[in-house]
Amino acid sequence: EIAPTETPSKFYYITLLRDPVSRYLSEWRHVQRGATWKTSLHMCDGRTPTPEELPSCYEGSDWSGCTLQQFMDCPYNLANNRQVRMLADLSLVGCYNMSTVPEKKRAQLLLESAKKNLRDMAFFGLTEYQRKTQFLFERTFRLRFIRPFMQYNSTRAAGVDLDNTTIQRIEELNELDMELYDYARDLFQQRYQYTRQQERRQQRIKNHMQQS
């Protein structure tokens, strides 16, 4: 119960999306250095997945030193389509139980759910568009950062030398994320253009009133 003098808090969901190939390679590098998600419960519909529903990709304490080929070959790798999975409502498809919904239908439901949740967010940004992301964040929440965002393209993912076959394989493994990112990029640009137009319109009105 909220005391009469307290103001109810208002929460906003926000997220940042990243080019799926770069994100996938970055996660591989992270795992290769010994990172794990063992503490993640993957709660869905009030329970954690069983070992049969979510098998491990490796034995031992971590997957350090894994090659990119090993990373791609694990069918249970949660790096595949991670952005869609983390944005979607997994309860629509029986959580991590792959036998609940046919694979094609499952993919469709997850993608549409992720798109809907992205649309409903007050704000989302794209790693590849740092300045525009900053612009939208500041205008959405009426805040100002002390320093401008910097666009860093020299990441660990960018330093991985890949042939076309490997890139294509990564794109196939992240097909849903690829579709989501294309959708997000279009929506992001629409929001950016609309916000810029509104700001210019308000500035013209302000200038006109000052001259009157």
Side-chain angles (χ1 to χ4, degrees), residues 36-158:
T36 69
W37 282 263
K38 289 183 176 180
T39 57
S40 299
L41 298 178
H42 304 293
M43 292 290 294
C44 182
D45 275 352
R47 71 175 183 89
T48 59
T50 66
E52 292 74 26
E53 291 173 336
L54 191 59
S56 177
C57 285
Y58 58 90
E59 296 179 357
S61 59
D62 58 45
W63 206 7
S64 58
C66 73
T67 66
L68 179 56
Q69 190 62 53
Q70 290 171 328
F71 196 72
M72 293 188 297
D73 285 346
C74 178
Y76 319 112
N77 194 343
L78 292 182
N80 300 343
N81 294 311
R82 182 178 289 281
Q83 295 179 108
V84 164
R85 193 183 70 258
M86 297 191 73
L87 279 174
D89 179 3
L90 296 183
S91 64
L92 296 173
V93 295
C95 300
Y96 292 91
N97 186 344
M98 303 297 289
S99 64
T100 304
V101 180
E103 183 178 358
K104 189 174 181 180
K105 182 66 174 178
R106 178 185 178 88
Q108 179 185 0
L109 288 171
L110 288 176
L111 180 59
E112 291 307 314
S113 176
K115 287 180 178 179
K116 178 185 181 302
N117 288 335
L118 191 71
R119 287 194 304 270
D120 292 344
M121 286 187 177
F123 163 86
F124 73 89
L126 300 179
T127 303
E128 288 72 28
Y129 298 89
Q130 291 289 328
R131 293 297 179 85
K132 290 182 178 180
T133 292
Q134 178 178 2
F135 175 87
L136 279 177
F137 185 95
E138 291 179 340
R139 271 61 178 185
T140 300
F141 298 110
R142 298 181 181 180
L143 299 170
R144 285 292 186 271
F145 289 96
I146 297 175
R147 297 183 181 88
F149 287 11
M150 301 298 292
Q151 189 72 54
Y152 292 110
N153 295 318
S154 299
T155 62
R156 289 187 174 90

Side-chain angles (χ1 to χ4, degrees), residues 8-59:
S9 299
K10 189 171 184 179
F11 296 95
Y12 296 93
Y13 286 98
I14 68 173
T15 191
L16 288 175
L17 296 181
R18 186 177 181 183
D19 168 76
V21 174
S22 295
R23 198 217 64 77
Y24 189 84
L25 291 170
S26 180
E27 181 166 348
W28 163 58
R29 287 292 205 189
H30 195 48
V31 169
Q32 193 181 47
R33 296 192 301 273
T36 69
W37 282 263
K38 289 183 176 180
T39 57
S40 299
L41 298 178
H42 304 293
M43 292 290 294
C44 182
D45 275 352
R47 71 175 183 89
T48 59
T50 66
E52 292 74 26
E53 291 173 336
L54 191 59
S56 177
C57 285
Y58 58 90
E59 296 179 357

